[in-house]
């Protein structure tokens, strides 16, 4: 397996510290030149991992202030093109300075000490607005979410809030991913007229563009893994209950979870290790079985050796093009080169799961979002009906697409039996596929599938007559089951081979640590990621 690149580390350390003495505040001009365009290769910042950065900070070769300034400069240079950051934290440098002081006084509090993090703007922060992308929540006044508090206690620097598909892409039937009334449109940093996928669009695009080291996204079905695949980063959708949802604007408590997005599997694992764990405010976190492996950051780069991995390929009529299918073929070859045996599989019950998911989510959305709004201080509507009425009067909110899902959710009948049925089917779908025979020797460690297809050109139903040109996704079984999935960069496809494609590794409940091992080993073997180039277009 490949070892870290010490020459890259030394070069980046010199670049980041150009003109800055150890332990002092950086000269902003020097930091900008070091971290972005004046003689520095932006891929250097892209390549650094959290362990690299911690080694540099522990050695006195880098400070959290310098690192945070480098990311702020990167945002200033490129976010006008990408639109990933909805709100910058005005206290980010002060928070970084406090992190440096804490390190000097007693050492790093965690592996995230001094590490800049973006939070999707449906994760509550007491000192920054939490909008879920909606202009109607600009005056909300929440407390910190549990995961926000854990990041701050760990010494992480919240550099800002990431844009998202408004209401996590659960407002209009013809929504455009990456657009919100509060933040506008997020672009894909690889090709700017392409979509970042939703709904953790700003989190994934921001990490891909090196606007932060890591980010928090959230997923109900596909909203971590799809943008991660489309933006060439690692995204972890944990088992439901692994991470607290307290203080996260909901769609449904039956499927929602927050999770890490990072450029490197090790960084995603370290972020998960900080934010995971029991929380009295979220009863799902009490369901972690005894003996569950929560050593997420203890990655095994030989994890694939001797494993059996199921390969779930798109159906012939899926619409997935040959170039994207070739990425899956390449990924299978990488798995085998790392020592895995691959087995073709088909996941059962997908039609029944798909038919029941939206009716269940509509009923749960009204229940769970209303509870969130009622518990949130500030000038915000009380319920879904209030949101619908205020959207109708807003000059921006309905410009590109409607709010059909809001109105359907208000009228939706109870769907508890539907939920129970589709959860059971989704869990059986994964578990029966993993259990390939009567003995343990036949079992699969994980299932691999294309996360999705290359990013489509961004369009709007209200302007162009068409919105997201969504073709294929493998996210639903894990999402409805409440099981983990990890998307990892696997290659490039689309026009001029310019657009990232990821593969998702899917496992049974509470197998998150094992999946991260497999993901890290695959990442190490495939070496498929490259930094974005901010191309204006590659054609239709």
């Amino acid at each position: 397996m490949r070892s870290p690149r010490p020459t890259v580390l030394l070069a980046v350390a010199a670049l980041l510290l150009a003109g800055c003495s150890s332990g002092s505040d950086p000269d902003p001009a020097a930091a900008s030149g070091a971290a972005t365009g004046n003689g520095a290769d932006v891929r250097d910042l892209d390549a650094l991992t959290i362990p690299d950065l911690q080694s540099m900070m522990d050695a006195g070769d880098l400070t959290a202030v310098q690192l945070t300034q480098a990311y702020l400069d990167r945002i200033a240079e490129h976010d006008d093109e990408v639109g990933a950051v909805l709100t910058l934290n005005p206290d980010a440098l002060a928070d970084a300075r406090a992190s440096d002081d804490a390190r000097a006084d007693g050492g790093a509090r965690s592996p995230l000490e001094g590490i800049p993090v973006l939070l999707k703007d449906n994760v509550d922060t007491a000192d920054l607005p939490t909008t879920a992308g909606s202009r109607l929540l600009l005056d909300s006044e929440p407390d910190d979410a549990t995961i926000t508090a854990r990041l701050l206690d760990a010494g992480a620097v919240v550099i800002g809030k990431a844009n998202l598909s408004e209401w996590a892409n659960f407002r209009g039937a013809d929504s455009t991913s990456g657009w919100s009334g509060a933040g506008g449109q997020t672009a894909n940093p690889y090709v700017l007229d392409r979509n970042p996928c939703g709904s953790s669009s700003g989190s994934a695009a921001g990490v891909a563009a090196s606007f932060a080291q890591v980010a928090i996204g959230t997923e109900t079905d596909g909203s971590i893994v799809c943008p991660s695949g489309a933006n060439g980063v690692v995204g972890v959708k944990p088992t439901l209950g692994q991470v607290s949802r307290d203080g996260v604007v909901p769609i449904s408590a039956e499927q929602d979870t927050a999770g890490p997005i990072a450029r490197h599997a090790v960084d995603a694992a370290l972020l998960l290790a900080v934010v995971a764990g029991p929380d009295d405010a979220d009863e799902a976190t009490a369901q972690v079985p005894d003996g569950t492996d929560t050593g997420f950051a203890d990655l095994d780069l030989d994890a694939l050796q001797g494993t059996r991995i199921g390969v779930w390929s798109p159906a012939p009529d899926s619409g997935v093009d040959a170039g994207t299918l070739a990425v899956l073929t390449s990924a299978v070859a990488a798995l085998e080169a790392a020592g895995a045996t691959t087995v073709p599989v088909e996941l059962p019950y997908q039609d029944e799961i798909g038919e029941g998911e939206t009716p269940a989510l509509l009923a749960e959305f009204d229940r769970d979002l209303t509870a969130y709004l009622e518990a949130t201080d500030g000038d915000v509507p009380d319920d879904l009906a209030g949101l619908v009425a205020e959207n109708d009067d807003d000059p921006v909110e309905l410009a590109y697409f409607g709010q059909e899902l809001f109105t359907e959710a208000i009228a939706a009948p109870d769907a508890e039996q539907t939920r129970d049925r589709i959860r059971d089917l989704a869990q059986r779908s994964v578990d029966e596929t993993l259990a390939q025979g009567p003995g343990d020797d036949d079992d699969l460690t994980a299932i691999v599938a294309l996360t999705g297809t290359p990013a489509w050109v961004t369009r709007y139903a209200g302007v162009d007559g068409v919105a997201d040109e969504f073709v294929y996704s493998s996210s639903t079984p894990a999402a409805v089951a409440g099981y983990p999935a990890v998307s990892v960069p696997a290659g490039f496809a689309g026009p001029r081979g310019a657009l990232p494609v990821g593969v998702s590794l899917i496992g049974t409940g509470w197998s998150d640590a094992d999946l991260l091992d497999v993901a890290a080993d695959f990442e190490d073997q495939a070496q498929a990621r490259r930094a974005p180039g901010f191309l204006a277009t590659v054609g239709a």
Side-chain angles (χ1 to χ4, degrees), residues 194-335:
R194 297 277 167 159
N195 197 269
C197 198
S199 67
S200 303
S201 46
S203 298
V207 167
S210 293
F211 296 162
Q213 187 68 26
V214 291
I216 292 290
T218 67
E219 175 159 336
T220 304
D221 186 343
S223 288
I224 289 174
V225 295
C226 181
S228 295
N231 291 277
V233 292
V234 177
V236 181
K237 199 288 287 188
T239 298
L240 194 147
Q242 197 76 259
V243 177
S244 173
R245 284 89 49 84
D246 171 61
V248 178
V249 183
I251 291 178
S252 167
E254 313 306 323
Q255 287 185 208
D256 293 349
T257 184
I261 295 176
R263 291 187 295 277
H264 313 284
V266 63
D267 290 1
L270 289 166
L271 179 54
L272 182 60
V274 167
V275 298
D279 177 19
D280 290 342
D282 184 353
E283 62 183 13
T285 64
Q287 297 172 9
V288 182
D290 291 341
T292 296
D293 182 0
T294 56
F296 308 117
D298 299 329
L299 295 176
D300 177 5
L301 293 186
D302 289 315
L304 283 164
Q305 187 67 45
T307 62
R308 289 165 51 83
I309 305 293
V311 180
W312 184 28
S313 299
D317 61 353
S318 65
V320 177
D321 66 277
T324 304
L325 289 172
V327 174
L328 180 59
T329 299
S330 175
V332 170
L335 291 166

Side-chain angles (χ1 to χ4, degrees), residues 3-16 41-49 52 56 264:
S3 59
R5 300 171 297 283
T7 55
V8 172
L9 295 186
L10 293 172
V12 174
L15 289 169
L16 285 173
D41 187 337
V42 298
R43 289 175 297 178
D44 291 336
L45 187 59
D46 177 277
L48 286 169
T49 67
D52 297 336
M56 293 161 66
H264 313 284

